[in-house]
Amino acid sequence: MSIRPVRRIAGVSADELSALLQDASEPLVLAGFCAHWPLVQLGLQSAEAALGFIAGCSSGEPVAVAALAKEAQGRVFYNADQTGFNYSGGRVSFHEFCQQLLALAAAPDGRCLYMGSTEVSRWFPGVLAQHQLPLSDWQPLTSLWIGNQAQIAAHYDFPHNLACNLVGQREFLLFPPQQVANLYPGPMEFAPGGQDISMVDFNQPDFERFPKAREALQAAQLARLEPGDLLFIPSMWWHQVTGKADVNVLLTHWWRDTPGYLGRPNNALLAAVLGIRSLPKAQRQAWQALFEYYVFEHDEVDQQQISPQALGMLEKPLPELEARKLRADLQNKLKR
C-alpha cells in the first residue's frame, strides 16, 4: 500500500519558523533545518563522536534504559498476555549505556537498547547551549531519545512537537486524530510509555486481526528523516516511530497552546470515563449534546442571555482565577 509522504520543504530560516507553525494543522518536514548543529555534524563523522559530545554534557545522573531481547524485534510493547512489557528496564550511567549501544552497533545480534524521553535541562544541560530552536516564547519541554532499531508503537501526545533528527535515520508513520477507531488502542492506564498505544504493528500489520488498520493506513502520512531534518507533529496526531540506524539520536520539543493552569485534557477524558461511559446510551447521547454545546462547539454559541459578570467558568478564555476555583471544586467533588 502506497502511503502519502509528509510534505517536505527546504530553505526555511529560523526567523520564519514560528510564523510557519502558527496555524499548521498537518505534519511537516523542514529538510536540513538543523543540519548545521554540532551534534548533526559529529554524527556524520561517527556515532561515537556524537555520543561522546552528549556524554560530555551529562549531569551524571543515571538514565532510564529499556533492553529488548532479539525475539522482540525492537518493538517496545506488551508481553504476550498484556500483564507486563516485553523489555527489562533500569537505570544506568549514560557512559555505560553508550558503551553497550556502540558494542551492539559494532556486532549487531538483534538485541535493542533504548533510552526514551530524557529531559535535556536535567540530564544533559550542556546540549541546549548549542542546540536550540527559536521557540523561547513557547517554552518547550526538550528531551533526548537515543537507541538502535527500536520501534515505538503509534501513540498520541497532547502537546505539539518539533522533533530534530540529529543522528541516524528515523521513520515516523503519522495518523490524524480522527483515525483513533481504526488504530485499535490498547489499555488506557497501562502502556509502555505511559500513554495508550495502538495495538497494530504497522511495519507488518495483521489485517485479519485488525481489518480497520487498512483504513488508517489510507489516511496515514510517512516521514523519513535524515540527519538535520526537523519534523513538526501537530497536537494529538498518532505516530509510530522506528529507528533505522545502529545509533539514532532525536531531540524533541513539546509545547501547548494554552496555559498550564488549565491542566491536561486527559484528565477530562478520565473523568468522563468515570462518570459517563457506563450510562445507558440515551443518557450518553444527552451528555454528548451538552459537551458539544459547552465544550466542543462553544465558538458558535451565543451567550448574550448571560450577563458578563455572571459568566464565571464560561468566560472565554478561562482566566487563571476561575480555573483554580474550578479545579478546587472538582477535587472536592471527586472526594465524595
Side-chain angles (χ1 to χ4, degrees):
M1 180 182 297
S2 177
I3 299 175
R4 178 161 64 106
V6 171
R7 180 183 169 215
R8 187 178 180 93
I9 60 176
V12 175
S13 70
D15 293 337
E16 297 170 321
L17 183 61
S18 294
L20 180 67
L21 299 179
Q22 197 65 50
D23 299 314
S25 59
E26 292 213 353
L28 178 66
V29 173
L30 306 182
F33 189 90
C34 306
H36 63 286
W37 283 4
L39 265 171
V40 176
Q41 293 299 312
L42 287 170
L44 293 175
Q45 297 175 27
S46 70
E48 187 173 6
L51 293 178
F53 179 95
I54 299 171
C57 299
S58 173
S59 65
E61 188 170 350
V63 296
V65 174
L68 288 83
K70 178 180 179 179
E71 293 71 28
Q73 298 181 313
R75 189 185 185 205
V76 180
F77 201 63
Y78 295 100
N79 60 14
D81 58 5
Q82 298 177 31
T83 58
F85 304 124
N86 68 343
Y87 57 86
S88 58
R91 291 192 175 274
V92 300
S93 72
F94 184 70
H95 176 72
E96 180 181 346
F97 167 66
C98 291
Q99 285 186 320
Q100 294 175 359
L101 190 61
L102 289 170
L104 284 176
D109 60 8
R111 290 180 296 158
C112 180
L113 282 179
Y114 177 66
M115 185 191 84
S117 179
T118 304
E119 189 179 345
V120 172
S121 61
R122 175 176 170 180
W123 274 270
F124 307 101
V127 167
L128 284 180
Q130 301 180 62
H131 304 82
Q132 287 199 46
L133 294 176
L135 303 174
S136 57
D137 291 344
W138 297 346
Q139 299 180 322
L141 176 68
T142 309
S143 299
L144 273 174
W145 312 66
I146 303 175
N148 49 10
Q149 289 88 357
Q151 176 187 328
I152 309 305
H155 62 285
Y156 67 89
D157 299 305
F158 164 50
H160 301 293
N161 185 4
L162 271 173
C164 306
N165 192 57
L166 301 179
V167 180
Q169 295 83 30
R170 265 188 169 86
E171 283 189 357
F172 283 74
L173 185 63
L174 301 114
F175 304 89
Q178 295 78 12
Q179 289 297 312
V180 57
N182 299 323
L183 295 173
Y184 298 89
M188 288 182 69
E189 67 272 38
F190 179 61
Q195 180 70 50
D196 37 319
I197 63 173
S198 169
M199 301 299 288
V200 183
D201 179 356
F202 284 98
N203 284 351
Q204 42 186 4
D206 182 347
F207 292 124
E208 289 190 7
R209 184 181 179 193
F210 304 116
K212 292 188 292 185
R214 291 184 185 275
E215 187 174 340
L217 284 170
Q218 290 173 357
Q221 298 185 37
L222 179 64
R224 291 190 172 98
L225 302 185
E226 295 295 328
D229 287 347
L230 180 64
L231 170 65
F232 170 62
I233 306 175
S235 169
M236 304 301 291
W237 274 67
W238 292 71
H239 46 287
Q240 175 181 286
V241 190
T242 306
K244 307 299 287 186
D246 291 330
V247 175
N248 304 278
V249 181
L250 188 77
L251 184 67
T252 60
H253 304 75
W254 283 330
W255 77 95
R256 54 186 292 169
D257 298 311
T258 53
Y261 68 73
L262 292 177
R264 290 173 54 83
N266 305 62
N267 297 335
L269 179 61
L270 294 176
V273 169
L274 175 66
I276 297 176
R277 193 171 190 272
S278 297
L279 293 174
K281 186 172 184 178
Q283 293 181 34
R284 296 200 308 272
Q285 290 173 332
W287 279 103
Q288 182 177 357
L290 286 175
F291 270 73
E292 291 289 341
Y293 179 82
Y294 283 113
V295 180
F296 298 112
E297 300 299 335
H298 68 80
D299 296 309
E300 311 302 323
V301 170
D302 183 359
Q303 297 183 149
Q304 55 83 27
Q305 75 277 14
I306 305 177
S307 166
Q309 294 79 13
L311 279 172
M313 71 177 69
L314 296 180
E315 190 174 344
K316 299 179 292 190
L318 188 62
E320 184 171 2
L321 180 59
E322 288 294 335
R324 296 197 180 281
K325 286 166 57 178
L326 179 55
R327 184 190 300 271
D329 186 41
L330 281 172
Q331 288 174 336
N332 288 330
K333 287 176 177 176
L334 286 171
K335 292 177 183 176
R336 297 174 186 171

